[in-house]
């Protein structure tokens, strides 16, 4: 790519600095109570599947109530790189009751310089970073969570995952959905402007979820700062692609293609003349194929389009066992020692539900007890 904005620097840190950051990360129990419940990243007992399941269940709830749901996916331009140091200092003082420690943390993230080195050996002058938190260090995500912890409350439900923010609102009237989301986006845009974060109106998208086929072509009209937010039929949030009726067909088809591509890599390890041992193939399949195939499985395990994915995973089992395609597929889990894909998805769903039931602070606790 020729656009310099498509590239992002990384921080190469020395070992003593990494140890220091890990020591400072022990502040996490002090910081966590100050973070809103909608923020689900880099926190204890929080994960991506929780956010995906929560959003999916809220959309399904709007279907049950025969309402239309509008979703806005907010995108920030270079979110970590535009953190205002003075504003971060103020929020750190409100969160950590030790001004000396706050001054020390701010000095760490402020004392950073960089040079630009081109492929032909030319380099720029030494520049000092005036804003932002370095990406890569352990401490950066926690500092960014503190910086955006006071995002104003909105009428629509918020789902936060670092700089990925989603707004969902459902109502029986389209005009009400559009008006509420537009007002909430105005409130969010004003907050971002006040704290020197940049909203990307080009990458921020909106979509509608409903079961009325007569309004299939109906597009949601949401505006912010006088600009209409682009509409998309198949939005992707945290790696899961959704459609209007929440069939998740596009997501599972893409996932199936991803599994087939990884199966090609697995076949290279299972060559007939020098292939790896079955135990090595099994471990490789679990790490390479199943890790991708089961991502956020509790959110889509009930979809009717999982059959294609199961067929691709059966090919994975055949590669591990070395048996041909005519082999009875019911025997493949026994031969490889890997439970059927459906049972593995049900197990992960049960584990997530059990965690939500036992932990009162779990974001899905209310959902599990209402079922």
């Amino acid at each position: 790519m020729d656009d310099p904005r498509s590239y992002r620097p990384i921080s190469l840190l020395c070992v003593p600095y990494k140890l220091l950051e890990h020591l400072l990360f022990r502040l996490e129990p002090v910081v966590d109570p100050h973070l809103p419940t909608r923020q689900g990243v880099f926190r204890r007992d929080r994960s991506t599947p929780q956010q995906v399941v929560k959003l999916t269940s809220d959309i399904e709830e709007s279907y049950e109530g025969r309402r239309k749901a509008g979703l806005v996916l907010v995108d920030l331009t270079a979110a970590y790189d535009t953190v205002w140091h003075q504003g971060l200092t103020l929020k750190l003082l409100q969160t950590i009751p030790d001004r000396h420690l706050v001054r020390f943390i701010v000095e760490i993230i402020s004392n950073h310089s960089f040079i630009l080195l081109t492929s032909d050996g030319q380099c720029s002058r030494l520049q000092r970073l005036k804003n932002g938190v370095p990406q890569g260090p352990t401490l950066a995500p926690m500092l960014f969570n503190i910086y955006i912890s006071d995002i104003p409350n909105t009428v629509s439900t918020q789902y936060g995952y670092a700089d990925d923010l989603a707004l969902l609102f459902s109502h029986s009237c389209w005009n009400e959905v559009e008006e509420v989301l537009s007002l909430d986006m105005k409130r969010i845009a004003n907050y971002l402007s006040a704290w020197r974060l940049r909203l990307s109106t080009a990458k921020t998208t909106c979509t509608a979820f409903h079961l009325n086929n007569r309004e299939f072509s109906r597009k949601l009209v949401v505006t912010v700062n006088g600009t209409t937010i682009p509409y998309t039929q198949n939005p992707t949030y945290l790696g899961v692609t959704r459609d209007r009726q929440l069939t998740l067909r596009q997501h599972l088809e893409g996932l199936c293609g991803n599994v087939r591509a990884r199966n090609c890599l697995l076949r290279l390890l299972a060559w007939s003349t020098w292939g790896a041992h079955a135990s090595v193939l099994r471990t490789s399949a679990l790490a390479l194929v199943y890790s991708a195939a089961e991502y956020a499985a509790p959110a889509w395990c009930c979809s009717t389009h999982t059959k294609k994915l199961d067929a691709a995973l059966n090919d994975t089992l055949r590669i591990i066992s070395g048996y041909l395609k005519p082999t009875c597929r019911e025997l493949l889990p026994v031969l490889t020692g890997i439970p059927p894909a459906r049972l593995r998805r049900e197990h992960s769903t049960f584990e997530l539900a059990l965690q939500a039931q036992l932990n009162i602070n779990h974001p899905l606790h209310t959902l599990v007890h209402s079922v």
Side-chain angles (χ1 to χ4, degrees):
M1 297 183 182
D2 297 330
D3 189 357
R5 292 174 295 183
S6 301
Y7 298 90
R8 183 173 297 171
I10 60 174
S11 300
L12 301 177
L13 307 173
C14 60
V15 174
Y17 185 90
K18 293 180 180 179
L19 293 175
L20 175 61
E21 281 209 327
H22 280 282
L23 290 175
L24 291 175
F25 194 74
R26 293 178 176 271
L27 291 169
E28 189 263 343
V30 178
V31 173
D32 191 75
H34 295 271
L35 301 181
T37 56
R38 59 177 173 264
Q39 181 58 259
V41 66
F42 300 109
R43 300 178 64 184
R44 194 182 303 274
D45 299 327
R46 299 295 181 94
S47 63
T48 309
Q50 294 176 7
Q51 296 292 94
V52 176
V53 171
K54 183 70 169 63
L55 176 59
T56 303
S57 63
D58 288 347
I59 295 174
E60 292 176 343
E61 185 180 352
S62 69
Y63 291 160
E64 295 175 359
R66 297 183 178 181
R67 301 188 301 271
K68 293 97 170 175
L71 176 70
V72 177
L73 301 180
V74 181
D75 186 89
L76 303 182
T77 301
Y80 277 61
D81 298 332
T82 54
V83 172
W84 182 30
H85 285 173
Q86 285 81 358
L88 178 61
T89 303
L90 173 62
K91 296 183 180 183
L92 283 172
L93 289 172
Q94 296 172 346
T95 305
I96 302 174
D98 190 330
R99 61 185 180 88
H100 298 289
L101 182 58
V102 170
R103 182 184 300 174
F104 180 64
I105 294 174
V106 174
E107 181 64 25
I108 288 178
I109 65 174
S110 301
N111 190 20
H112 282 270
S113 303
F114 71 95
I115 60 173
L116 178 63
L117 181 65
T118 61
S119 58
D120 56 358
Q122 298 182 3
C123 61
S124 66
R125 292 181 299 176
L126 186 68
Q127 299 288 338
R128 182 165 181 170
L129 293 175
K130 299 179 180 179
N131 292 310
V133 291
Q135 298 193 45
T138 307
L139 201 60
M142 185 176 70
L143 295 178
F144 187 78
N145 282 347
I146 294 174
Y147 190 69
I148 63 171
S149 61
D150 58 345
I151 288 181
N153 295 324
T154 55
V155 178
S156 52
T157 306
Q158 297 184 22
Y159 309 85
Y161 200 82
D163 58 334
D164 293 324
L165 178 65
L167 303 178
L168 179 71
F169 181 74
S170 62
H171 197 272
S172 58
C173 178
W174 280 117
N175 293 334
E176 185 69 18
V177 173
E178 295 172 344
E179 182 179 356
V180 169
L181 288 176
S182 297
L183 291 175
D184 288 345
M185 281 302 301
K186 180 180 179 181
R187 188 176 293 111
I188 295 294
N190 291 337
Y191 167 83
L192 296 176
S193 177
W195 292 101
R196 302 189 182 183
L197 294 172
R198 297 197 296 267
L199 174 68
S200 176
T201 54
K203 294 183 179 180
T204 299
T205 60
C206 66
T207 190
F209 297 95
H210 60 91
L211 299 178
N212 189 350
N213 291 328
R214 294 181 178 179
E215 297 181 314
F216 171 76
S217 59
R218 177 68 160 80
K219 293 185 178 181
L220 200 66
V221 180
V222 181
T223 60
V224 56
N225 297 330
T227 303
T228 301
I229 296 177
Y231 180 84
T232 178
Q233 291 186 346
N234 304 115
T236 300
Y237 179 66
L238 298 181
V240 177
T241 303
R242 298 167 178 82
D243 53 275
R244 176 178 62 88
Q245 295 180 326
L246 214 61
T247 63
L248 296 167
R249 179 176 62 85
Q250 291 83 356
H251 175 71
L252 288 171
E253 288 178 351
L255 197 58
C256 185
N258 191 8
V259 169
R260 289 198 180 99
R262 295 177 181 230
N263 281 343
C264 293
L265 298 176
L266 197 63
R267 284 192 181 93
L268 298 178
L269 297 176
W271 200 256
S272 57
T273 56
W274 55 268
H277 192 270
S279 61
V280 177
L281 292 175
R282 182 181 182 276
T283 303
S284 301
L286 291 173
L288 183 66
V289 181
Y290 277 84
S291 61
E294 295 175 350
Y295 169 72
W300 50 261
C301 62
C302 295
S303 174
T304 59
H305 299 279
T306 56
K307 296 179 181 179
K308 296 180 180 179
L309 179 61
D310 291 344
L313 291 175
N314 286 336
D315 290 339
T316 306
L317 299 181
R318 291 188 180 94
I319 296 172
I320 298 173
S321 61
Y323 286 86
L324 301 177
K325 195 169 184 178
T327 306
C328 182
R329 61 185 179 185
E330 284 77 12
L331 296 178
L332 293 175
V334 180
L335 296 172
T336 57
I338 299 178
R342 178 181 59 84
L343 295 181
R344 290 176 61 90
R345 292 193 292 266
E346 291 178 355
H347 177 70
S348 62
T349 304
F350 174 78
E351 281 191 335
L352 183 61
L354 184 62
Q355 294 173 4
Q357 185 178 16
L358 298 178
N359 186 0
I360 192 173
N361 296 321
H362 198 280
L364 301 176
H365 181 77
T366 305
L367 174 65
V368 172
H369 278 267
S370 63
V371 175

